[in-house]
Amino acid sequence: MEKEMIKSENLTKTFYNFWGKPKTKALSELSITVEKGAVTGLLGPNGAGKSTLMKLILGHLYPTSGTLQVLDKSPRDVLSKRFIGYLPERTSFYKNLNASETLHFFADLLGLEKKESTKRIEQLINMVGLDGIGKRRVGEFSNGMRKRLGLAQAMLNDPELLLLDEPTAGLDPVGCREVKDLIKVLKERGKTILMTTHLLADVQDVSDKILILYGGKLQASGSINELLAIKNEILVRTEKIDNKFLDQIKNITEQAGCSKFEISHPIKTLEEYFLQVINDAGAENEISGAKKGKGVAEYLKNG
Amino acid sequence: MKKIFSVSKTTVLLLWRNGTIPALTVMISSFAVFIFFATNSNSNLTNELHLRLKYALISMSVLTNLAVLYIGVFSLRKDIDERRFHTISAAPVYRSQIWFGKFIGILITASIVFITSFSSLCISSYLFISNWDKKYSSEKLKDNFLTSYMECMPDMAELNKEVKMEYAKRLKKLIEKQKKEGKDQEAELEGDIWRKRKILLREIQKEKQIIAPKSTSQWNFTWSHSDISSTGFASIIFKSYSNNRKVKFKGTWSIEDENGKTVWIQNFEAYPYLEQKIKIPTEKMPKSNKFTLKFENSGKTYLIFPIFNNGLKIMYPNRNIYENAIHYMLFSFLGIAIATALALTCASVFSFPVAVFVAFITYLTGNFSGFFKNIMHDLSFHDADLVTIFYKSVISFVLWLTQMLKVPPVSSTFADGISIPTLKLMTTWGISFFIYFLIIVFIGTKVLKNKELDKILTK
């Protein structure tokens, strides 16, 4: 497989009205690349063209002009979809099937062997915390539970390229953390991930690279560290030390000509604190909804 | 194939779980049974059974097809509009595979409904016979109900040709005569000639059907001797009209084989205006594929056998009702298959309300094609001006477009105890059915494949 998993050149998508007149230009001459093994965050305000780009990558929409290649093939190539996993923003499954039946249905569409699919589905249901409610029909699921099911469905084929449209929207903080942990595990295994989200912190947590779209055009792109680094400042982090040493450090910085010097205790993120509380309290309580996931599925960890 | 069957299996499972299959099965079966018991005939057991079955089967068949049209549109449209189709088609599956999966799933659903309804009618018939309080002989029941007869009609091609030629000749004379009489104003001539043309055609047909006293009429039949299933009797069934209904007509019926050799002959005497049945031992029937049926009018009255209105036919035992039921099922399923394909294609092309409307209208147009055929018949009396040609073209196109959606003409045939001519139907109706079916499938899958998914969403 090539180094570039997704490559577009001058990609333009225009929507036309019933009479064939241009209505909206959703994407304009967009040239991007998504490299193999990278986690790329696709950012932009509403109407920036993120969903249109996702649909073009999936072959649900067709380019007006320009080229788009996914895994070196046209996005409409059905066979290459064997290597793609997709989590839509609004997960919509058959309401009268349960989680296990839904996943078996998609496993059949992916052409997985019965034995293998049964093994994977069991692991995935555990991973997304739907074990024990696997027999409940999807129609009775909350949005978050559906999202978890959607994630399991997207992971069924252990995809090379994972497209995540708002993966953490509708999930509780535990679910969000699990998704991010999963992304990290997949990244370690060299999988390529393209995700869109409005939650910038999520992107910052897991992405290597970001693409910022606005008005259908690429406004900025690059690695997170490069783009976000404040290059004219440094941060030193250490264990707690005595005040006299701090004064010495301050003197040294003054001697070096620095006018800015701040000292404070680092604080946990709210997410970290919340997860700690849930971890401490949740283990003993029986709950009816989605549970905390039991870690990343074995087959996803080991390949 | 695995992917197609997976979609089919899921479609059936969902239709079962959301109550569609149980509800439709109960409703259509109940309705058919209700029609069966609500119908009344002339208190003759076999006639009662034939008529009750006919109405029940027709209503069952129409309801099943209408249900299929709705379920077909609903099933695919709902997936598209609720964006499940987007998720499914993100998997390595061709959209045409999803289409075919749905098609098979709905066909299985319809089959469950149809077979259950048909079984409920079989039970109803059994109960009806068991509770029949008047006398009947089981022999007669076997002959008239449990045996299916092949229907053999006279070859009309030559006769129709004669009528057409005669009609053209006399029409020319008629127009010339009218012009001579001074009715040369266009409007008057048009109105008059319209009515006269119809009368003229009927007159010629009537003349061709008249059998004068001491004269002989003959009709050619084509058949296959091997279609006779058992020893028993073939029957000549005919209606007759005469110039004096109170006088019996007399004559001699005979059958000649292809070589002109008389193989059967029988004198006959009866009152006119009643349907008559003359039995011929099957072993007397000619072995050749073609034979001639003759009637010599030895009475003093003029007779008419309305052959242009199916007033003369020969029937012979062909198979039993159980075998015939299988043939009936086969054609009914073909009918359901095309309704399913139409529904899925409409769902692929149009938004939900439009798809339902188009599917129903197309289907109903196909089933009420008689109305359009009458218009075509009337238009055929018009001069071939541009407007008439336009009307005729449009109606012909509509008729062509919808012809195969007509419920296959097997419900009445089966209910009347007539063998469904499978081979004949397959070579006439079947060929156009398959062409039509392929066209619908092609349009449906092509549109679904090529359209951008967001463009086929119901806004």
Side-chain angles (χ1 to χ4, degrees):
Chain A
M1 226 167 270
E2 289 287 312
K3 205 183 164 209
E4 288 147 349
M5 299 293 266
I6 301 171
K7 187 179 180 187
S8 80
E9 272 176 26
N10 300 322
L11 183 68
T12 301
K13 178 63 192 175
T14 309
F15 290 104
Y16 296 89
N17 67 12
F18 181 78
W19 308 105
K21 289 188 176 167
K23 195 171 62 178
T24 322
K25 204 169 196 177
L27 289 178
S28 180
E29 307 213 332
L30 186 72
S31 298
I32 58 158
T33 52
V34 173
E35 278 129 31
K36 185 172 164 54
V39 178
T40 307
L42 186 61
L43 304 175
N46 291 332
K50 303 186 300 289
S51 294
T52 304
L53 181 59
M54 276 287 192
K55 287 172 188 170
L56 284 161
I57 291 168
L58 285 162
H60 291 170
L61 293 176
Y62 313 142
T64 308
S65 66
T67 58
L68 175 64
Q69 287 212 311
V70 181
L71 305 174
D72 290 330
K73 299 266 170 61
S74 156
R76 291 174 72 182
D77 182 74
V78 171
L79 294 180
S80 64
K81 288 182 181 172
R82 279 177 301 170
F83 308 108
I84 299 175
Y86 169 56
L87 171 69
E89 183 186 353
R90 280 190 290 160
T91 44
S92 180
F93 296 113
Y94 291 115
K95 288 174 188 161
N96 285 307
L97 295 184
N98 61 37
S100 170
E101 287 165 341
T102 302
L103 293 177
H104 271 109
F105 171 62
F106 279 97
D108 286 346
L109 296 184
L110 289 163
L112 295 179
E113 290 298 320
K114 185 85 186 162
K115 202 176 157 191
E116 180 64 19
S117 65
T118 308
K119 193 181 89 187
R120 286 187 182 191
I121 287 165
E122 199 182 315
Q123 290 179 18
L124 283 170
I125 284 181
N126 283 331
M127 182 185 92
V128 297
L130 293 177
D131 50 320
I133 49 171
K135 297 292 167 196
R136 256 167 73 183
R137 293 191 183 173
V138 174
E140 298 165 16
F141 280 18
S142 67
N143 281 341
M145 286 155 78
R146 276 184 209 172
K147 198 81 183 184
R148 285 162 182 263
L149 180 61
L151 190 67
Q153 170 266 318
M155 301 308 307
L156 257 172
N157 52 339
D158 189 14
E160 288 302 318
L161 172 63
L162 185 61
L163 303 169
L164 303 172
D165 200 352
E166 302 285 352
T168 52
L171 288 180
D172 54 36
V174 180
C176 290
R177 171 45 55 197
E178 284 165 6
V179 169
K180 285 189 267 185
D181 288 345
L182 173 69
I183 292 172
K184 283 174 186 166
V185 169
L186 294 172
K187 187 176 141 185
E188 279 165 21
R189 281 188 55 212
K191 306 283 181 184
T192 311
I193 298 164
L194 177 67
M195 61 184 277
T196 71
T197 179
H198 290 292
L199 303 171
L200 304 180
D202 288 351
V203 180
Q204 196 175 348
D205 275 357
V206 294
S207 298
D208 304 312
K209 190 182 166 187
I210 52 169
L211 302 166
I212 301 177
L213 293 186
Y214 184 68
K217 290 182 178 169
L218 184 66
Q219 304 294 340
S221 70
S223 89
I224 290 258
N225 292 338
E226 250 176 52
L227 292 174
L228 302 187
I230 304 168
K231 288 182 179 162
N232 55 355
E233 288 185 16
I234 58 160
L235 177 72
V236 178
R237 192 166 170 152
T238 179
E239 283 134 28
K240 196 177 173 191
I241 52 174
D242 199 80
N243 280 350
K244 64 178 181 186
F245 295 115
L246 287 176
D247 289 340
Q248 284 176 13
I249 296 170
K250 191 180 176 188
N251 289 337
I252 292 167
T253 56
E254 277 169 1
Q255 283 167 19
C258 297
S259 57
K260 195 175 175 185
F261 183 77
E262 287 170 11
I263 295 172
S264 63
H265 287 290
I267 56 168
K268 289 175 188 168
T269 62
L270 184 57
E271 185 190 357
E272 282 166 344
Y273 178 69
F274 180 85
L275 291 173
Q276 190 187 328
V277 173
I278 295 297
N279 272 337
D280 294 345
E284 297 130 33
N285 298 332
E286 193 61 36
I287 52 168
S288 64
K291 296 174 186 167
K292 184 179 180 300
K294 293 191 174 68
V296 176
E298 280 306 309
Y299 80 92
L300 292 174
K301 278 197 257 180
N302 307 325
Chain B
M1 278 316 267
K2 191 185 165 193
K3 292 175 186 178
I4 293 177
F5 285 128
S6 180
V7 177
S8 314
K9 194 177 79 183
T10 309
T11 304
V12 176
L13 185 67
L14 289 167
L15 287 170
W16 178 264
R17 286 200 181 156
N18 69 17
T20 305
I21 296 177
L24 278 179
T25 307
V26 170
M27 283 194 289
I28 295 180
S29 302
S30 311
F31 189 76
V33 169
F34 172 78
I35 295 286
F36 180 87
F37 285 107
T39 310
N40 256 318
S41 181
N42 61 358
S43 297
N44 170 304
L45 177 61
T46 49
N47 288 352
E48 287 280 357
L49 283 168
H50 284 157
L51 194 75
R52 284 163 191 268
L53 272 179
K54 183 191 283 190
Y55 289 149
L57 288 176
I58 289 172
S59 49
M60 182 184 103
S61 165
V62 171
L63 284 179
T64 310
N65 278 287
L66 290 177
V68 157
L69 287 175
Y70 188 79
I71 299 170
V73 173
F74 179 82
S75 178
L76 183 58
R77 245 357 289 181
K78 193 101 171 146
D79 275 6
I80 294 170
D81 293 339
E82 292 189 355
R83 293 174 185 269
R84 277 189 292 269
F85 198 88
H86 293 59
T87 315
I88 294 169
S89 58
V93 55
Y94 291 96
R95 293 183 194 174
S96 54
Q97 287 178 315
I98 304 173
W99 196 98
F100 278 110
K102 290 262 170 207
F103 174 78
I104 295 171
I106 292 163
L107 208 57
I108 293 170
T109 302
S111 306
I112 295 169
V113 174
F114 195 82
I115 291 170
T116 314
S117 310
F118 188 75
S119 306
S120 65
L121 281 180
C122 294
I123 296 167
S124 301
S125 304
Y126 176 77
L127 292 174
F128 187 79
I129 295 167
S130 308
N131 290 302
W132 184 253
D133 51 3
K134 292 169 195 156
K135 273 190 176 176
Y136 74 94
S137 77
S138 49
E139 198 62 34
K140 242 183 177 177
L141 188 72
K142 191 187 163 201
D143 270 2
N144 295 339
F145 184 69
L146 298 177
T147 304
S148 298
Y149 290 84
M150 192 62 106
E151 202 176 39
C152 192
M153 312 298 271
D155 300 335
M156 298 292 287
E158 207 159 301
L159 206 57
N160 281 331
K161 201 173 155 190
E162 280 176 32
V163 170
K164 207 173 168 185
M165 279 169 64
E166 186 67 23
Y167 171 75
K169 204 167 83 183
R170 290 202 211 167
L171 185 66
K172 200 176 163 190
K173 272 188 193 170
L174 181 72
I175 293 170
E176 279 168 8
K177 192 183 159 200
Q178 286 219 153
K179 280 187 179 167
K180 271 183 198 168
E181 285 169 0
K183 292 180 182 173
D184 52 356
Q185 281 186 7
E186 207 175 303
E188 197 181 346
L189 191 66
E190 276 293 311
D192 201 21
I193 209 85
W194 180 280
R195 189 175 56 82
K196 285 191 173 175
R197 276 172 162 175
K198 278 189 172 179
I199 295 168
L200 182 62
L201 187 66
R202 274 190 216 133
E203 252 175 33
I204 297 167
Q205 284 182 343
K206 197 172 161 187
E207 281 170 23
K208 296 287 174 189
Q209 294 170 163
I210 287 176
I211 310 167
K214 310 295 174 201
S215 71
T216 302
S217 277
Q218 63 179 52
W219 303 272
N220 296 322
F221 287 82
T222 307
W223 81 319
S224 172
H225 186 272
S226 58
D227 283 344
I228 296 180
S229 65
S230 58
T231 51
F233 293 95
S235 312
I236 304 170
I237 294 173
F238 67 101
K239 267 184 192 164
S240 62
Y241 300 97
S242 98
N243 53 346
N244 191 344
R245 67 160 66 206
K246 289 178 182 171
V247 177
K248 276 186 176 177
F249 67 91
K250 290 177 195 170
T252 307
W253 285 100
S254 62
I255 291 177
E256 281 179 9
D257 67 11
E258 213 168 12
N259 304 321
K261 186 186 164 196
T262 303
V263 292
W264 172 83
I265 189 160
Q266 186 174 312
N267 291 327
F268 185 78
E269 191 177 316
Y271 284 104
Y273 291 87
L274 293 170
E275 190 174 90
Q276 305 293 341
K277 190 173 179 180
I278 304 167
K279 285 188 166 184
I280 311 165
T282 48
E283 61 271 18
K284 295 278 183 190
M285 290 298 284
K287 303 278 185 288
S288 54
N289 284 339
K290 287 182 184 290
F291 65 89
T292 307
L293 177 69
K294 285 186 173 180
F295 180 75
E296 189 189 342
N297 183 3
S298 53
K300 289 174 184 169
T301 52
Y302 281 85
L303 290 172
I304 284 179
F305 293 165
I307 47 169
F308 286 99
N309 300 312
N310 298 336
L312 173 70
K313 60 189 171 191
I314 291 177
M315 292 176 79
Y316 51 92
N318 176 245
R319 56 171 87 110
N320 63 42
I321 193 170
Y322 309 109
E323 290 167 336
N324 210 27
I326 292 167
H327 292 250
Y328 166 67
M329 289 278 189
L330 170 75
F331 283 98
S332 297
F333 286 144
L334 290 178
I336 291 170
I338 206 151
T340 311
L342 175 77
L344 290 174
T345 293
C346 287
S348 309
V349 179
F350 304 110
S351 61
F352 183 70
V354 181
V356 172
F357 179 78
V358 173
F360 274 74
I361 286 296
T362 317
Y363 177 78
L364 292 175
T365 310
N367 278 281
F368 294 100
S369 57
F371 169 75
F372 293 100
K373 280 181 181 158
N374 282 344
I375 297 177
M376 284 289 275
H377 185 253
D378 285 348
L379 282 175
S380 68
F381 294 124
H382 262 295
D383 290 330
D385 54 33
L386 270 177
V387 179
T388 312
I389 292 169
F390 173 73
Y391 288 153
K392 281 173 88 169
S393 314
V394 171
I395 295 172
S396 302
F397 178 68
V398 170
L399 284 175
W400 175 84
L401 199 67
T402 58
Q403 61 187 327
M404 284 305 126
L405 292 168
K406 195 171 183 170
V407 177
V410 290
S411 293
S412 313
T413 313
F414 174 75
D416 286 340
I418 295 166
S419 283
I420 291 157
T422 310
L423 198 65
K424 193 179 156 196
L425 268 180
M426 276 296 181
T427 49
T428 52
W429 184 84
I431 290 171
S432 45
F433 165 84
F434 281 111
I435 294 170
Y436 199 77
F437 179 76
L438 288 177
I439 292 172
I440 295 181
V441 171
F442 177 76
I443 295 171
T445 50
K446 193 84 180 160
V447 170
L448 197 62
K449 183 187 163 201
N450 288 338
K451 252 192 175 179
E452 293 184 312
L453 277 187
D454 280 24
K455 279 195 182 165
I456 52 175
L457 283 174
T458 302
K459 302 289 179 203

